[in-house]
Amino acid sequence: MSDTILEARNLVKHFLVNAGVLRPGGTVHAVDGVSLEIRRGETFAIVGESGCGKSTLARLLMRLLTPTSGEVRFDGTPISGIRGSDLRQLRRDLQFIFQDPFSSLNPRLTVGKLIAEPLELHAPELSAAQRRGRVADLLAKVGLMPDHADRYPHEFSGGQRQRIGIARALASGPRLIIGDEPVSALDVSVQAQVINLLGDLGRDLDLTLVIIAHDLAVIRHMSDRVAVMYLGQVVETGPTDAVYDTARHPYTRLLLESIPVAEHGATRRAKPVTGETPSPLNPPSGCRFHPRCLHAQDRCKSEAPVLNDGAHGVACHFWREIAETSPRAVPKPRSSGAQTRFDLYRAATEGETIITRNQQGSSE
Ligand code: SF4
């Protein structure tokens, strides 16, 4: 059996936009030639600013969108052509966690019904009593109580709702879960708890996780490998430690320098990410990052760099020169002892006991 569970090959997704009164028409280049290989059992993170195409990519990987060109393979099989029982099996194997725990749960259904829905679809052979038992097990797995099954989503805090969303995703017994910014709508202290939970579940249930995020600090702790996206393309990819400690692409460096770092009791101010992302309606020629890049040269304006092969790939003509002449100015959180704000919250919540709102009277 191959190590690769999910693969994208030269994936492209363009959206046609009709012209409006104040809006030009054209083609949005949401995803433009992305190739990725996700390995069994790993946690793979896809990061980038809003509008970089990462959520579109997640939906293409799930077959929630049809690619303009290119191919997605799950377990070696192209997913675009599968139908019937094979498609139902794919829906069991691939599950999605939505960004917003407030709007992704039907407010009219109890938590028990929300979690039982995928069981009814994918495991119709279960009796009502068996389903109730499975719902109670799933609630326990995500740190909630069996009696929460009788309550409605609005009775829970944001973190608890995301736990319910995770339980629902686990109900079909998936092999791979894609989380589209699963913690970005949550308070940072609750983010750490949900990240811990996802990491634990990934290990305990032997799941492959693909986490979409815009915050590099959040995914450092849970991901094995990372891909950094800019304007529809992957500009750097590799093992998480290598990308964080020896970032090669100027854009990755910019994102890393925007993370606030606590060092020796003081907080180092983060550099803001400067410059605006150009419109995907009209991406720049050559290297798409050149209008914002401090190291851009004439060649960058006309020649698009190719993501090089190898464990730590980068799409930049001059990454070696940049690494030699401009070492990163920001301390490396793991190796130097400096910590991001997220590290501190995470350390404080490791081995946490989950206390629900109804036990504690607080919002988690
Ligand atoms: Fe900057 Fe040029 Fe590298 Fe693009 S190819 S990131 S513009 S140096």
Side-chain angles (χ1 to χ4, degrees):
M1 193 191 293
S2 157
D3 254 5
T4 302
I5 185 166
L6 186 68
E7 185 182 3
R9 290 187 181 172
N10 208 13
L11 211 51
V12 173
K13 182 64 185 176
H14 292 169
F15 296 100
L16 289 176
V17 179
N18 294 327
V21 178
L22 296 172
R23 185 189 63 198
T27 302
V28 173
H29 298 245
V31 172
D32 239 349
V34 168
S35 296
L36 293 171
E37 284 185 9
I38 317 282
R39 298 175 193 150
R40 270 170 230 286
E42 76 171 343
T43 300
F44 190 91
I46 302 172
V47 295
E49 293 166 284
S50 296
C52 72
K54 54 191 188 302
S55 292
T56 304
L57 176 61
R59 281 157 178 76
L60 290 169
L61 295 176
M62 284 289 300
R63 217 188 104 160
L64 298 177
L65 286 173
T66 306
T68 306
S69 64
E71 183 176 80
V72 177
R73 289 175 170 255
F74 183 73
D75 249 349
T77 305
I79 65 172
S80 57
I82 59 174
R83 303 274 180 275
S85 61
D86 288 344
L87 182 56
R88 276 197 296 283
Q89 184 60 45
L90 182 79
R91 295 286 177 233
R92 273 184 91 139
D93 288 339
L94 282 180
Q95 284 290 322
F96 203 75
I97 300 172
F98 292 90
Q99 175 176 359
D100 185 352
F102 295 90
S103 62
S104 60
L105 300 175
N106 186 339
R108 294 170 195 274
L109 297 184
T110 62
V111 167
K113 283 212 161 58
L114 283 166
I115 298 173
E117 255 185 354
L119 289 173
E120 287 164 15
L121 189 68
H122 296 298
E125 71 282 1
L126 293 180
S127 68
Q130 286 172 320
R131 255 198 315 274
R132 273 197 301 279
R134 289 282 284 275
V135 168
D137 285 350
L138 288 161
L139 284 170
K141 272 197 175 72
V142 298
L144 296 173
M145 312 289 284
D147 64 342
H148 287 157
D150 300 325
R151 300 183 190 168
Y152 288 87
H154 72 266
E155 297 178 59
F156 294 88
S157 67
Q160 288 171 327
R161 287 188 213 197
Q162 199 54 297
R163 289 173 190 276
I164 296 165
I166 294 168
R168 195 173 142 86
L170 291 174
S172 68
R175 293 159 64 199
L176 187 148
I177 293 182
I178 298 180
D180 183 12
E181 305 247 20
V183 297
S184 65
L186 307 177
D187 179 83
V188 73
S189 59
V190 181
Q191 286 182 5
Q193 294 173 2
V194 174
I195 288 291
N196 289 345
L197 172 67
L198 280 171
D200 292 346
L201 289 172
R203 270 191 305 280
D204 295 349
L205 305 177
D206 203 16
L207 284 170
T208 305
L209 298 173
V210 178
I211 303 296
I212 311 291
H214 65 270
D215 187 342
L216 279 156
V218 168
I219 51 97
R220 168 155 204 173
H221 298 283
M222 65 176 309
S223 60
D224 300 303
R225 291 190 304 135
V226 60
V228 180
M229 280 189 76
Y230 185 76
L231 220 54
Q233 299 178 328
V234 173
V235 295
E236 183 161 1
T237 183
T240 306
D241 282 347
V243 171
Y244 276 74
D245 293 344
T246 55
R248 291 174 173 174
H249 197 280
Y251 176 61
T252 312
R253 290 165 158 235
L254 198 68
L255 290 180
L256 287 169
E257 287 167 5
S258 72
I259 301 173
V261 178
E263 195 180 20
H264 309 305
T267 301
R268 175 187 285 257
R269 186 172 295 190
K271 285 189 190 174
V273 178
T274 52
E276 292 215 350
T277 310
S279 166
L281 261 176
N282 189 18
S285 60
C287 173
R288 292 185 175 184
F289 189 58
H290 85 253
R292 296 171 73 183
C293 183
L294 296 174
H295 307 277
Q297 301 185 31
D298 284 345
R299 179 183 173 195
C300 306
K301 295 176 187 164
S302 56
E303 190 184 330
V306 176
L307 187 73
N308 53 19
D309 286 337
H312 186 174
V314 59
C316 172
H317 298 305
F318 302 109
W319 70 268
R320 285 179 204 282
E321 292 87 331
I322 293 167
E324 280 165 18
T325 56
S326 315
R328 273 184 60 206
V330 175
K332 294 176 271 183
R334 260 191 202 165
S335 51
S336 69
Q339 293 181 302
T340 66
R341 194 166 55 122
F342 189 79
D343 291 302
L344 300 174
Y345 278 119
R346 189 172 188 279
T349 56
E350 293 244 294
E352 62 181 310
T353 302
I354 305 301
I355 300 172
T356 67
R357 173 188 265 188
N358 292 307
Q359 289 170 287
Q360 195 188 39
S362 76
S363 59
E364 195 157 346

